[in-house]
Amino acid sequence: MITIRRSEDRGHGDRGWLQSHHTFTFGSYHDPNHMGFRALRVLNDDRIAPGKGFGPHAHRDMEIVTYVLEGALAHRDSMNERHTLGPNEIQTMSAGTGVVHSEFNASESEPVHLIQTWIEPAAEDLAPSYQQVAFAPDEKRGRLRLLAAPYGTEGDGITFIHQDARMFAAELGPTDRVEHRLTPGRHAWAQVVRGSVSLNGTALNEGDGAAVSDEQLLTIAGDGTGGGEVLLFDLA
Amino acid sequence: MSPLVVLVTFYSQSGAAETRALSAAVGAVQERALIRLRRLSDADSTQLLANGRAHAETLERMRKEYVVPTEADVRGADAIVVAPTSSCDPASLRWSEYFELLRSLGAAGALTRKVGAIVRNRDAASVQRFEQALHAAGLTIVAPADESPTPQAATAHGRRIAAEARSLKESGIRYQDSGLGQGTGERNRR
């Protein structure tokens, strides 16, 4: 079963400097029918104006995974981590017992466009941690590139989360096609972050998402003239 | 019960007081409180930037990242935490407006059953003056278990502040539920 969440049906927040689309309930946007999917609790599509951002604020007991599509995001936190995150990088912050951080557009002239997801951890009161990994753009072209996986997963160039969930990115040209097999009992969320793709034959455009349950095989293909980019979450 | 809110206000030019304020905030978060971090404004920022080249980048960043505390922040908080720099005074130009706000809200009964605390710096006399000013505004003072001006001690203090604020808040709810009416404000030291 595949349930589509269309881009235009998402919640929208407009703070002037921030244009945000919420796939699930977040902040002042509340929809009891869209409180998350499995362990995926937040999926925000944010565009932050040059020089603007989120001042210091706290998180607790959440795995926060950030993926920049365009521009650069400056991160500072109470663990003394100070980084700039750009495209083809993945940032994973485990808030655990508590982290205070700020996120600002690192540029005074260009906007930053990012996807931020919050995944509920399998346990509370974990030690806070920060990870950031860069990868070559080719690694996601025409294939699913693993970005985040549970601790204990073998592999280089990935970040680790305290949850039985995996996050992939794939950039698919119009003729590209990838397959992902879901083991019995597992679920998936697909989020189109750029362009157009099809998921098991259903057309999805930028901003669209899809909840997948009781399916064995996901076939994602680039669609339209330019294809698209998709984030895929494999969830317990 | 509504979430516990801890307001941490600091003033810093170099970032040292900011670090202690952040550490205290992390402690409050560990104790499952919501936090609001606020920085007092630079009345003389142009001069500061011209004089303090070593800290110019930090100063610019803090000015961008933080907003100043408002009356709504104070009214909405269960704990009022202050992180001053050494040798500073609550009557100084920098802090006087904020403490005048606290005094007026305290006189109006808006700080009843709220705690106040200072994040320690190296200047014990300054800390004492700030603590007295919070006390004079009607806040119940929470003293740290560890008086050292380290981030670790600030985090532990943040936990203690949130725990005491929760305890006081819950006792206030029990008091109101008992039908005895509004509290009269506690002026003890916890």
Side-chain angles (χ1 to χ4, degrees):
Chain A
M1 181 175 64
I2 297 179
T3 307
I4 308 299
R5 174 83 158 133
R6 292 292 176 196
S7 174
E8 59 270 24
D9 296 332
R10 294 178 297 175
H12 179 229
D14 180 356
R15 290 200 215 172
W17 60 269
L18 171 68
Q19 297 295 321
S20 191
H21 288 90
H22 313 299
T23 294
F24 305 120
T25 288
F26 184 85
S28 58
Y29 166 66
H30 182 77
D31 184 340
N33 296 317
H34 297 283
M35 297 299 291
F37 182 69
R38 314 303 297 179
L40 186 57
R41 175 61 191 81
V42 167
L43 200 163
N44 287 346
D45 183 338
D46 293 339
R47 285 179 166 83
I48 304 173
K52 302 294 185 182
F54 302 95
H57 59 281
H59 294 283
R60 201 188 200 289
D61 294 324
M62 199 63 75
E63 308 291 284
I64 300 171
V65 185
T66 304
Y67 185 71
V68 169
L69 294 163
E70 291 172 14
L73 187 70
H75 168 101
R76 288 175 57 88
D77 67 37
S78 52
M79 297 177 284
N80 212 25
E81 300 284 356
R82 294 159 192 194
H83 304 277
T84 300
L85 183 74
N88 302 310
E89 290 187 278
I90 190 74
Q91 179 201 70
T92 296
M93 188 177 79
S94 293
T97 54
V99 169
V100 176
H101 78 144
S102 64
E103 299 158 291
F104 270 76
N105 187 335
S107 169
E108 294 293 332
S109 58
E110 302 296 325
V112 59
H113 181 195
L114 62 107
I115 304 293
Q116 186 166 88
T117 61
W118 295 9
I119 296 170
E120 292 172 350
E124 293 188 347
D125 294 327
L126 298 164
S129 67
Y130 180 93
Q131 304 160 73
Q132 185 173 326
V133 168
F135 58 90
D138 283 351
E139 294 177 29
K140 67 177 182 182
R141 284 193 187 132
R143 55 184 162 147
L144 287 164
R145 205 286 184 189
L146 183 60
L147 302 177
Y151 276 92
T153 303
E154 289 191 12
D156 294 328
I158 59 175
T159 61
F160 298 100
I161 56 176
H162 297 280
Q163 182 52 272
D164 183 8
R166 286 170 175 75
M167 176 183 175
F168 303 85
E171 194 177 286
L172 302 170
T175 60
D176 289 333
R177 167 187 153 127
V178 293
E179 290 185 344
H180 181 75
R181 194 164 291 279
L182 281 179
T183 56
R186 290 193 71 86
H187 308 259
W189 184 275
Q191 185 71 28
V192 182
V193 296
R194 217 176 340 230
S196 302
V197 305
S198 69
L199 172 66
N200 287 9
T202 300
L204 297 174
N205 296 313
E206 185 172 319
D208 290 347
V212 182
S213 295
D214 302 321
E215 299 280 345
Q216 291 184 343
L217 184 66
L218 299 182
T219 302
I220 308 171
D223 216 349
T225 55
E229 182 169 356
V230 64
L231 297 179
L232 180 68
F233 299 85
D234 183 319
L235 304 159
Chain B
M1 189 173 72
S2 59
L4 189 81
V5 177
V6 175
L7 171 65
V8 183
T9 300
F10 70 97
Y11 181 74
S12 177
Q13 294 176 13
S14 67
E18 180 198 24
T19 299
R20 291 195 302 276
L22 281 172
S23 298
V26 167
V29 175
Q30 289 174 352
E31 200 57 38
R32 300 180 185 278
L34 301 180
I35 54 127
R36 305 279 181 268
L37 274 157
R38 301 290 185 258
R39 178 177 177 269
L40 298 181
S41 63
D42 303 297
D44 48 357
S45 56
T46 306
Q47 191 62 41
L48 275 175
L49 287 172
N51 291 344
R53 286 198 173 277
H55 304 306
E57 196 176 318
T58 300
L59 196 52
E60 286 278 26
R61 177 188 56 74
M62 288 191 293
R63 291 174 63 201
K64 190 164 79 169
E65 291 192 352
Y66 294 96
V67 295
V68 298
T70 64
E71 181 177 330
D73 289 329
V74 177
R75 285 185 180 274
D78 300 294
I80 312 295
V81 182
V82 168
T85 51
S86 297
S87 354
C88 202
D89 192 281
S92 65
L93 185 62
R94 187 83 59 211
W95 284 95
S96 59
E97 192 178 337
Y98 185 61
F99 274 91
E100 183 50 43
L101 171 66
L102 294 182
R103 272 192 297 275
S104 65
L105 289 175
L111 302 185
T112 300
R113 295 196 180 278
K114 297 185 180 193
V115 304
I118 307 298
V119 182
R120 264 42 187 176
N121 58 40
R122 287 189 177 81
D123 184 351
S126 167
V127 166
Q128 191 176 20
R129 288 194 297 274
F130 274 90
E131 226 168 50
Q132 286 168 348
L134 287 180
H135 186 267
L139 292 159
T140 299
I141 302 302
V142 178
D146 178 354
E147 298 273 353
S148 61
T150 63
Q152 293 79 7
T155 298
H157 194 26
R159 283 197 297 270
R160 186 179 170 98
I161 292 162
E164 292 290 352
R166 177 172 287 110
S167 171
L168 195 57
K169 187 175 186 176
E170 288 174 351
S171 72
I173 289 169
R174 285 196 298 274
Y175 182 64
Q176 286 172 9
D177 286 348
S178 72
L180 295 173
Q182 297 295 310
T184 52
E186 297 181 32
R187 292 190 175 229
N188 60 332
R189 182 180 171 93
R190 292 181 162 234

